[in-house]
Amino acid sequence: MTKFEMVAMLTSDHQVILRELASYTTFLAGALSSTAVPTFCELLFGCMLSADGFVTQALLTIDFHCVWSSYHHWLSQGKWQWKNLARHLIRLVCSKAPENQPVVLGLDDWVIERFSDKAPACRTHHQHSKKRNRPTYIWGQCWVSLAIIFERAADEVFTAIPVISFPTPASGNTSKLKIAVAMLRVVRNEVKDRVLRLLTDCWYMNWTLIKPALEMNIEVVGQIPSNRALYALPPAPTVKKRGRPKKYGIKMTTEQVKKLPEEKATVWMYGKFRKIRYRTLICRARFLKGREVRVVWSRFENDKGLTESRIFISTNPELEGLEVLRAYSRRWPVEPMFHQLKHAFGCCHLWQQKLRTLLRWMHLKMAGYALLQWLYLISELLCSENWMWTTQCKA
């Protein structure tokens, strides 16, 4: 069967998907020189087809045309920058976000286990997942990753697409918070005319991260520990007194929170309908230097009763309590994204010896993962449109 016969057998949906893949690949190839485009495309398609993290395995899945050692040489010593590829990937993925909604960013970190002492950016990390038969501390690379989260229209399930990652260094004062701030600046420089909303967990809900995010006009929604000091807004003074007005009202302790009216709702969160109870109030957060935030205290209802109370905040006080909970639930797809990158795309086997080579290969794997995820979203949309068109014709 010739190539022309194979193209003739493709359906209209297949042609649309191939056309989108060609346009996305062409856009990403703009980050490199014209001489490097063929090598880049071969490795990109190899990353999309290979389930392992080795460069050789990615080459074996395609019909490569150059000597296999030249691909390793291009990754390690080629004259191109992984930052340009990350910027093009950010622009590509953000351009697909709905115009009337904020671009949702998910921030988190993940650890890839290593055995060699000479592996780049390796150090001892705490195993916070607390898995069984695992040590409390492990040796590996801790990657800070930023993903853009979309909703699948077919089944209302959220999908995370990674756009940029960087490992914490083995030594020095560069923390995960500083790396996260640098990545947010890159995203804001590439997407200047869109509303950005950052979703993150307890560890990153810190003034070191939130202050630069607010300066970049980025909304932050996240969970905070229960020991953070929250204060109600002070009452308006009835009589003018000397001195500056009060900044904080009463402290929102457990007893004060119980006095707030409790609301109940059944919403679609984390893949199913859940019954939740929550209380909400606009407060001033001491760790944010007295900034007004929307605070939500919530618990789930299940067969065993009520779960432990969790505290969520949003730097946008105009959001309602239920909207904050729904927004934070979109952060969860980041966890299966890390699992798929490690075990389905072979990122647990990135054994490059230099940090620059490691960053280049990691972002190539992320670009392949992003293209596959987005093509799946397009196929779901095409299937739903065809189903609606068939239903209307039968009616």
Side-chain angles (χ1 to χ4, degrees), residues 328-393:
Y328 184 77
S329 66
R330 298 189 177 189
R331 192 200 71 86
W332 183 249
V334 175
E335 304 297 338
M337 180 195 72
F338 291 154
H339 184 271
Q340 293 172 3
L341 283 173
K342 287 180 67 174
H343 303 289
F345 275 74
C347 288
C348 58
H349 292 150
L350 303 187
W351 289 358
Q352 281 68 28
Q353 299 179 1
K354 295 182 180 180
L355 180 59
R356 185 180 66 173
T357 310
L358 178 65
L359 286 168
R360 289 177 172 183
W361 187 235
M362 170 62 82
H363 282 81
L364 272 172
K365 298 292 288 186
M366 288 169 47
Y369 178 86
L371 291 183
L372 285 179
Q373 288 287 349
W374 189 247
L375 291 177
Y376 178 75
L377 292 176
I378 292 176
S379 64
E380 289 283 329
L381 183 61
L382 291 174
C383 291
S384 61
E385 290 179 353
N386 291 339
W387 180 82
M388 293 176 60
W389 181 81
T390 305
T391 306
Q392 292 175 359
C393 289

Side-chain angles (χ1 to χ4, degrees), residues 92-136:
L92 174 63
V93 178
C94 289
S95 65
K96 304 301 178 181
E99 292 290 341
N100 56 348
Q101 297 179 9
V103 179
V104 182
L105 306 174
L107 175 66
D108 208 344
D109 57 89
W110 49 305
V111 178
I112 298 178
E113 295 82 358
R114 286 291 178 266
F115 300 99
S116 174
D117 295 337
K118 298 181 181 180
C122 273
R123 61 190 301 181
T124 304
H125 300 281
H126 183 260
Q127 181 67 22
H128 59 274
S129 60
K130 298 180 180 179
K131 296 181 179 179
R132 294 183 179 181
N133 301 326
R134 295 288 183 89
T136 306

Side-chain angles (χ1 to χ4, degrees), residues 270-328:
Y270 304 106
K272 64 180 181 179
F273 286 100
R274 294 181 179 269
K275 296 181 180 180
I276 58 174
R277 298 184 183 183
Y278 67 95
R279 296 178 170 90
T280 181
L281 186 68
I282 298 179
C283 301
R284 293 187 184 273
R286 175 66 67 87
F287 73 99
L288 297 182
K289 313 299 180 183
R291 182 183 177 88
E292 293 186 11
V293 294
R294 167 70 66 178
V295 186
V296 183
W297 296 266
S298 70
R299 294 183 296 176
F300 285 121
E301 291 185 23
N302 52 29
D303 299 336
K304 299 180 181 179
L306 296 176
T307 61
E308 183 181 357
S309 179
R310 306 288 183 179
I311 306 176
F312 305 93
I313 68 169
S314 171
T315 56
N316 183 8
E318 298 180 357
L319 291 179
E320 298 295 333
L322 198 57
E323 293 177 346
V324 174
L325 296 178
R326 285 175 174 170
Y328 184 77

Side-chain angles (χ1 to χ4, degrees), residues 62-161:
I62 62 174
D63 185 15
F64 60 93
H65 298 84
C66 300
V67 181
W68 69 272
S69 59
S70 62
Y71 297 94
H72 294 270
H73 181 82
W74 182 78
L75 281 173
S76 60
Q77 302 182 22
K79 295 183 179 180
W80 63 284
Q81 296 183 357
W82 65 269
K83 297 178 183 178
N84 293 337
L85 177 60
R87 292 190 183 101
H88 278 70
L89 184 60
I90 291 170
R91 262 181 272 163
L92 174 63
V93 178
C94 289
S95 65
K96 304 301 178 181
E99 292 290 341
N100 56 348
Q101 297 179 9
V103 179
V104 182
L105 306 174
L107 175 66
D108 208 344
D109 57 89
W110 49 305
V111 178
I112 298 178
E113 295 82 358
R114 286 291 178 266
F115 300 99
S116 174
D117 295 337
K118 298 181 181 180
C122 273
R123 61 190 301 181
T124 304
H125 300 281
H126 183 260
Q127 181 67 22
H128 59 274
S129 60
K130 298 180 180 179
K131 296 181 179 179
R132 294 183 179 181
N133 301 326
R134 295 288 183 89
T136 306
Y137 296 93
I138 59 175
W139 179 263
Q141 300 163 341
C142 181
W143 289 84
V144 182
S145 297
L146 198 63
I148 299 177
I149 301 172
F150 292 89
E151 181 181 5
R152 296 205 302 250
D155 49 5
E156 297 182 359
V157 174
F158 297 102
T159 302
I161 299 179

